[in-house]
Amino acid sequence: MLGSSVLVMNHAGDFFRVDRDGAFQRIPIQPPENGFKDYQALSLTPDYSRLEHRLDRFRYNDVEVVSSDGNLTIFVSYTNFHVDRVCYTNAISYAKISIEGEMIAPWKILFESNPCLPLKETYRALEGHMAGGRIAFDGQETLYLASGDYHWDGMYAPAALAQDEAADYGKVIAINVFSGNAEQVSRGHRNTQGIAIDNSGSIWVTEQGVRGGDELNLIKKGENYGWPDASLGTK
């Protein structure tokens, strides 16, 4: 929220103020750098042009505004491409903004997923639409990230990361907004496209499954939600 208005971000990282009557205007917030131009250039080089690239699916995923003691902090989740290592992560950055929507301080990275994923040889090289990337704040000190598996599921990539506890993909992750310390809350998710915290503090996620396999899940710490070992959908 920005006062009585809502802050909206599209997949390209453009920000808008939307009023209660539906009126909206673009506001001058520049999104955090995500490495897209580097990836776009790399995709045209001889070593990587043979791969299948879907640049239109490389995106900013979600935005959350947190108000504390009259100060506003904006959190943005997005796919972050690292050209020096030719790999990508699920990232969250934050910045201070004014009530008018102006930047007060530059972006800083709060969290990046591990490991940094290489471009895929199987199917599409980088599947940004499978990032999940939805975030929700608990009103105290924890930001929850619903991290998708980027199609690293053993079918569209050689490894299945949602069941790998060493990988932050296919997981719900709790991140302390002050320290950046993070821990996996649950695993076995595919492409978590929605996350919300209800009045009792329970965490709910909506998960885009394979055909027939969409899910609404109540998240409990330490639980395994099955993907890709179990699914009610089909390829």
Side-chain angles (χ1 to χ4, degrees):
M1 299 291 291
L2 291 178
S4 60
S5 303
V6 175
L7 181 68
V8 176
M9 178 190 68
N10 63 20
H11 286 163
D14 302 316
F15 292 88
F16 302 86
R17 177 196 295 273
V18 182
D19 298 328
R20 293 181 183 274
D21 60 3
F24 69 94
Q25 63 179 16
R26 188 168 177 176
I27 55 179
I29 297 177
Q30 293 298 317
E33 174 57 44
N34 64 354
F36 173 73
K37 291 182 179 179
D38 290 329
Y39 174 48
Q40 185 177 38
L42 187 79
S43 71
L44 301 175
T45 63
D47 287 344
Y48 294 98
S49 60
R50 62 183 175 80
L51 302 180
E52 183 180 349
H53 301 281
R54 285 297 303 267
L55 298 175
D56 59 316
R57 295 185 177 182
F58 189 112
R59 57 185 61 170
Y60 293 92
N61 294 313
D62 205 0
V63 60
E64 183 89 2
V65 179
V66 174
S67 177
S68 177
D69 299 326
N71 299 312
L72 296 179
T73 303
I74 180 175
F75 294 88
V76 169
S77 67
Y78 56 101
T79 294
N80 194 19
F81 184 73
H82 298 266
V83 69
D84 55 332
R85 293 178 284 162
V86 192
C87 61
Y88 56 96
T89 60
N90 223 346
I92 298 175
S93 286
Y94 68 96
K96 299 292 184 182
I97 62 172
S98 69
I99 192 68
E100 291 77 25
E102 298 175 340
M103 297 283 293
I104 296 175
W107 292 101
K108 294 182 180 180
I109 291 179
L110 175 71
F111 170 83
E112 283 201 81
S113 55
N114 282 303
C116 193
L117 297 175
L119 297 177
K120 292 198 292 133
E121 299 276 343
T122 306
Y123 205 51
R124 303 185 184 108
L126 193 168
E127 301 196 59
H129 65 299
M130 300 294 293
R134 307 306 182 185
I135 53 179
F137 183 58
D138 70 351
Q140 299 180 37
E141 60 180 17
T142 304
L143 189 71
Y144 290 91
L145 168 67
S147 181
D149 71 355
Y150 282 95
H151 247 163
W152 283 80
D153 56 9
M155 292 178 287
Y156 296 100
L161 298 182
Q163 293 296 328
D164 184 353
E165 295 183 26
D168 292 325
Y169 304 96
K171 311 295 192 302
V172 173
I173 300 170
I175 305 158
N176 186 288
V177 298
F178 300 110
S179 67
N181 292 336
E183 65 170 339
Q184 295 178 10
V185 178
S186 60
R187 61 189 172 99
H189 302 286
R190 183 176 185 260
N191 187 14
T192 36
Q193 285 290 339
I195 184 169
I197 303 172
D198 66 22
N199 291 336
S200 69
S202 296
I203 303 167
W204 299 84
V205 300
T206 54
E207 186 169 333
Q208 180 189 19
V210 289
R211 181 176 299 176
D214 295 342
E215 298 175 3
L216 170 64
N217 286 317
L218 172 62
I219 300 302
K220 296 183 178 181
K221 188 172 183 178
E223 288 296 315
N224 184 347
Y225 289 80
W227 177 258
D229 296 337
S231 174
L232 296 179
T234 65
K235 185 176 179 182

